Amino acid sequence: TWRFIATYLIYGQWKQLVVAGVGHCAAAYVLSGDPDWARRAAILLDRIADLHPDFDFGAQAILYEKKADRGYVSTWHDACMEIRSLVLAYDLIRPVLDKDKKLHKFLADQARDHHLPWPKGSGEAFRAHIETRLLADVLANRHKIRTNYPGDDVLVILIKSIQDPVANQTEVRQLIDAMVSTATAVDGVTGEKGMTGYTCYVIHVLGHFLETLARVNPAFLPDLLARHPKLQRTYRFHLDTWYQERLYPRIGDCGHYGDQVTRYQGLTCTREYGLQPSSFSLLWRFYEATSDPAYAQLAWRENGRTVKDFPHDLTATDPQALRRALRRVIKQHGETPTLASINYPEWHLALLRAGHGKHERMVWLDYDTGGKHAHQDALNLGLFARGLDLLPDLGYPPVQFGGWSSPKALWYYQSAAHNCVVVDGEAQPRPWQEPVAGECTLFAQAPGLQVVRARVPAANQGRRYERTVVMVDLGEQDFYLLDVFRVAGGREHSRFLHSGYGDLQTKGLKCRKAPDFGHDSQMRKFRLDTQAKPGWYAEWALQDLHEAMPFGADLRFRHYDLTPDAAAGTCEGWLSTGHFNDHGEGWIPRVMIRRQAAAKHAADLQSTFIGVMTAYEGHCPIRSVRCLALTGARGKKAPDSVVAVEVTLRRGAQQLLILDDPENPGTWRQAAWDIRSAGQLNLHRRSADGTPVADPVMVT
């Protein structure tokens, strides 16, 4: 017993060095051709095979101060990665083992001296020892290496490919197809939330696997792309959703409030030489297979915008030719991929892009809720502009404040913690329940504007829960958003809004101290105007914590509110100021707009929340906003859900946006502008003297 414990402790303490030693020796053999390095790797592998199957981490170890779950020497996720490294190293050295008489004699002497029960006096005996004690044991005890998808699938495929590539060919192909189908099922990824975390992990492992097999067979990736067309979008997903190479939509369990991500998240592009698969080589293979220059541009960017040392792959047959080819692609297509507005209908994420360079802006709308690592955030809205996250999500639940079930961790999941509407305190499904899908019902672009509309009725007990966002360009630099949120059912609708770090001031409100929102939310210091007049605004003077803007820039984010019959005011929301290994905490200013049913027991409240948002430096591009009345057939007043918003710009020019209600469509007249409007969205413009400017823009 003591001998076993001592072996466990020694091997467990040094397991990383042992595993790394096998890989380094195998790499040295491949690079030098010296069989002595293969012999050293084989001896280490032989020792591991002697001991490894006898370990059971679940039965023999303690983890997090309690009985462990499963694994070998290490817990399950580490065990899977360690064995994968050993299996790949074994595949590299296996061809030279049959002829190494020196190795055979050494292993046979060791077996005799230590009374080991298995023969080791030949290459065949050695291979049988490794493949029985190590490879076959893993297949028979898959629970010990079952890890985050598709880690253990990859290991099983590799083992079966190495055991007998001919006999297992059909099974291996079926396993690969099943794995790739699952890994790319939702717009090229798995659908798991956590944009910069859990969303990435599967495709990181998948990329490692794809390049491993593509090295052996150059036709492997083109054939796989033909069988699985969604794979063409897998490594575009984290490119299409990246803003100015610094921000991603923080959807689900990932990141922290206000953080920036300056590395591409779809692959781990390590600029180191080694025998591990190179993500740079994989990106180049995708470019060759798809002719999409974005893959080559991404490889150029992640390589420091140079061809030096590209592709960081010791197995590349002609790296100089690859460098010349990459340089030609960059010369022809430029350094930066062309990114456009895009809707991912299966992942339920719509993105609107406009502007260029430092004036680029991006709006994102998340139209589902629930599922793995998701938050209760159906129709959460995000806005990136001027290099900053202007409507940031709070990020990864702060488990350092008492664990996953603590009030502060649960607060990060709540709908009230997001930029969306809460019905009767909390109506959206809990995280980890079955995901609740929404539907994008309008996604369109027209000259000077873009619009997205989505609905998620299942997040509101089957009642209306719909948001429409229109982005209107005011030249290259300025813009504004029209944000219309329609909700039905319940007795109380509360819309919350917060921006980045900064001071908040309001104009047009007369606020008094009000009761807290409650519902286990982490908010305080509520002040409300119970009879807020539409047209008031809230303005944040934002802090540029990550120096994304020129020194001394004074960036402001303003929200005008036009919601009728609502109370409105401010409060503070709690947040963790860092990642989950940081105990810093603070409070940020927030805005709440609340509508309540007139009758005490009424449960059929209908609300249309209307907001106009803009970000600016110096002078606000908007002077004022107001809602205008619309009439329909026979002069009947249009319902509140049909919205007409007049925006007066700083120099006096005016714009009128008329947004129809898809559930009450019609033809509407606006008397002050003397116009009739049809279609889902209309934009009319006139100069400061009232002269119409250009033709109306209509989205049908």
Side-chain angles (χ1 to χ4, degrees):
T1 301
W2 286 111
R3 181 178 176 184
F4 185 85
I5 292 173
T7 304
Y8 192 109
L9 291 174
I10 294 170
Y11 185 29
Q13 182 70 26
W14 293 94
K15 64 181 175 64
Q16 292 178 327
L17 290 177
V18 174
V19 172
V22 174
H24 290 320
C25 290
Y29 160 68
V30 172
L31 294 174
S32 67
D34 184 350
D36 193 46
W37 285 112
R39 186 180 304 122
R40 294 171 182 174
I43 291 170
L44 286 172
L45 266 175
D46 182 73
R47 291 291 181 269
I48 293 171
D50 285 339
L51 297 169
H52 201 268
D54 298 325
F55 291 113
D56 184 349
F57 194 83
Q60 301 162 350
I62 292 176
L63 185 66
Y64 299 134
E65 301 179 357
K66 62 181 181 180
K67 186 178 179 297
D69 188 1
R70 60 194 186 280
Y72 278 97
V73 177
S74 308
T75 192
W76 43 278
H77 48 82
D78 286 346
C80 186
M81 293 180 9
E82 291 162 3
I83 297 171
R84 185 173 66 189
S85 298
L86 296 174
V87 167
L88 291 173
Y90 171 65
D91 191 44
L92 290 174
I93 66 172
R94 187 170 53 164
V96 301
L97 299 179
D98 282 340
K99 302 176 183 179
D100 195 336
K101 304 300 181 183
K102 184 177 180 180
L103 171 67
H104 302 160
K105 183 178 184 306
F106 176 80
L107 295 179
D109 291 344
Q110 291 285 297
R112 182 193 64 243
D113 294 345
H114 295 284
H115 310 291
L116 299 178
W118 32 77
K120 300 184 180 182
S122 66
E124 182 180 356
F126 172 79
R127 290 197 308 275
H129 180 55
I130 300 299
E131 295 184 16
T132 301
R133 292 280 296 171
L134 191 59
L135 277 61
D137 191 82
V138 170
L139 295 180
N141 295 279
R142 187 166 173 176
H143 66 283
K144 289 187 176 183
I145 51 95
R146 194 174 301 281
T147 185
N148 297 325
Y149 190 82
D152 49 304
D153 282 35
V154 166
L155 179 53
V156 168
I157 291 171
L158 291 174
I159 290 175
K160 288 183 177 292
S161 299
I162 290 170
Q163 280 180 325
D164 194 333
V166 176
N168 294 337
Q169 182 177 6
T170 300
E171 182 185 6
V172 165
R173 181 186 174 98
Q174 292 172 346
L175 290 172
I176 291 174
D177 283 339
M179 179 184 70
V180 174
S181 293
T182 301
T184 63
V186 181
D187 282 323
V189 291
T190 64
E192 191 168 11
K193 303 305 181 183
M195 175 71 77
T196 58
Y198 300 98
T199 305
C200 309
Y201 298 157
V202 170
I203 60 175
H204 286 180
V205 177
L206 178 65
H208 187 285
F209 172 78
L210 295 178
E211 178 59 20
T212 299
L213 270 65
R215 284 177 169 182
V216 180
N217 177 12
F220 169 74
L221 184 59
D223 290 346
L224 196 64
L225 285 166
R227 300 202 306 272
H228 300 275
K230 284 187 176 182
L231 183 59
Q232 296 187 32
R233 305 185 71 178
T234 299
Y235 298 104
R236 285 268 342 199
F237 184 84
H238 283 89
L239 181 59
D240 292 333
T241 55
W242 204 10
Y243 167 78
Q244 288 192 350
E245 299 180 354
R246 66 172 71 240
L247 293 167
Y248 279 100
R250 199 174 300 108
I251 298 172
D253 293 346
C254 61
H256 69 277
Y257 179 80
D259 70 346
Q260 301 207 352
V261 184
T262 57
R263 297 299 301 270
Y264 168 71
Q265 295 295 292
L267 289 166
T268 303
C269 296
T270 304
R271 290 184 238 170
E272 297 177 359
Y273 278 104
L275 288 178
Q276 291 296 313
S278 166
S279 294
F280 294 99
S281 293
L282 181 64
L283 286 171
W284 186 256
R285 291 186 201 276
F286 266 89
Y287 164 67
E288 290 185 315
T290 65
S291 300
D292 184 350
Y295 292 114
Q297 292 165 320
L298 185 55
W300 166 269
R301 192 271 177 193
E302 291 300 289
N303 198 46
R305 303 187 188 279
T306 177
V307 297
K308 183 180 179 182
D309 296 329
F310 181 82
H312 303 278
D313 188 346
L314 290 173
T315 68
T317 55
D318 192 349
Q320 289 296 340
L322 288 179
R323 291 164 194 161
R324 290 192 297 270
L326 176 59
R327 192 180 286 112
R328 285 195 298 269
V329 174
I330 298 304
K331 184 177 180 180
Q332 179 181 356
H333 297 282
E335 294 188 356
T336 305
T338 300
L339 302 178
S341 300
I342 191 170
N343 179 35
Y344 280 103
E346 296 171 345
W347 214 82
H348 305 112
L349 174 64
L351 304 106
L352 305 179
R353 288 182 181 269
H356 301 88
K358 66 180 182 179
H359 300 306
E360 181 186 11
R361 51 260 186 197
M362 186 173 89
V363 174
W364 57 265
L365 182 64
D366 175 20
Y367 54 98
D368 66 357
T369 185
K372 293 181 178 179
H373 295 288
H375 295 176
Q376 296 161 281
D377 60 352
L379 299 185
N380 191 27
L381 180 68
L383 170 62
F384 302 149
R386 300 179 184 269
L388 297 182
D389 189 347
L390 300 181
L391 295 173
D393 188 272
L394 299 186
Y396 199 96
V399 295
Q400 68 271 34
F401 291 93
W404 285 99
S405 59
S406 67
K408 289 178 177 177
L410 293 177
W411 159 239
Y412 270 44
Y413 289 111
Q414 287 187 31
S415 304
H418 298 81
N419 290 311
C420 54
V421 173
V422 180
V423 178
D424 291 340
E426 189 64 76
Q428 294 191 20
R430 296 284 181 180
W432 294 96
Q433 292 180 347
E434 282 298 311
V436 171
E439 177 188 10
C440 182
T441 57
L442 177 62
F443 188 82
Q445 301 177 60
L449 66 79
Q450 301 179 67
V451 58
V452 58
R453 182 179 67 224
R455 55 192 293 272
V456 195
N460 185 29
Q461 300 180 358
R463 303 299 301 274
R464 191 173 199 182
Y465 199 72
E466 177 188 273
R467 193 167 200 166
T468 306
V469 182
V470 185
M471 180 162 62
V472 181
D473 299 330
L474 301 175
E476 173 64 16
Q477 178 174 340
D478 293 319
F479 71 99
Y480 66 86
L481 304 183
L482 171 62
D483 178 24
V484 176
F485 208 134
R486 300 180 177 106
V487 185
R491 295 183 299 273
E492 180 180 283
H493 300 161
S494 302
R495 181 188 175 186
F496 290 96
L497 181 72
H498 63 253
S499 187
Y501 285 109
D503 296 326
L504 172 65
Q505 299 292 328
T506 63
K507 185 174 181 179
L509 293 179
K510 298 178 180 179
C511 295
R512 296 183 178 180
K513 185 177 180 181
D516 286 351
F517 179 69
H519 304 287
D520 298 321
S521 63
Q522 300 294 304
M523 294 186 286
R524 68 180 188 183
K525 295 185 177 180
F526 279 81
R527 294 181 59 80
L528 292 179
D529 181 340
T530 57
Q531 295 180 334
K533 295 180 179 180
W536 65 270
Y537 69 79
E539 183 171 277
W540 283 260
L542 295 172
Q543 301 174 23
D544 182 12
L545 298 181
H546 298 281
E547 300 181 351
M549 300 183 63
F551 178 76
D554 181 18
L555 179 62
R556 303 294 175 114
F557 174 70
R558 183 177 290 187
H559 167 82
Y560 291 91
D561 200 84
L562 300 168
T563 307
D565 304 318
T570 62
C571 61
E572 291 183 349
W574 181 90
L575 57 74
S576 170
T577 57
H579 288 287
F580 50 78
N581 57 356
D582 186 322
H583 281 78
E585 52 187 319
W587 297 84
I588 57 169
R590 309 189 83 209
V591 167
M592 182 176 79
I593 304 105
R594 184 175 66 196
R595 299 192 73 250
Q596 294 175 303
K600 183 176 181 181
H601 299 293
D604 195 27
L605 181 63
Q606 312 282 322
S607 294
T608 300
F609 292 90
I610 307 169
V612 174
M613 306 177 194
T614 190
Y616 69 94
E617 294 176 72
H619 298 286
C620 182
I622 296 176
R623 180 188 296 175
S624 63
V625 298
R626 63 173 180 161
C627 278
L628 300 183
L630 295 170
T631 55
R634 300 178 182 177
K636 184 178 180 181
K637 183 180 180 296
D640 289 342
S641 58
V642 181
V643 175
V645 173
E646 181 186 82
V647 178
T648 302
L649 304 180
R650 184 167 66 91
R651 298 187 184 278
Q654 292 183 314
Q655 298 186 352
L656 176 63
L657 280 161
I658 300 177
L659 186 66
D660 203 1
D661 180 356
E663 295 189 4
N664 295 285
T667 299
W668 311 103
R669 181 176 182 270
Q670 210 298 305
W673 283 62
D674 192 23
I675 58 172
R676 289 189 178 274
S677 170
Q680 301 192 69
L681 172 66
N682 285 257
L683 172 62
H684 301 265
R685 299 182 179 97
R686 64 188 183 189
S687 63
D689 63 4
T691 304
V693 178
D695 293 329
V697 177
M698 182 171 67
V699 175
T700 58

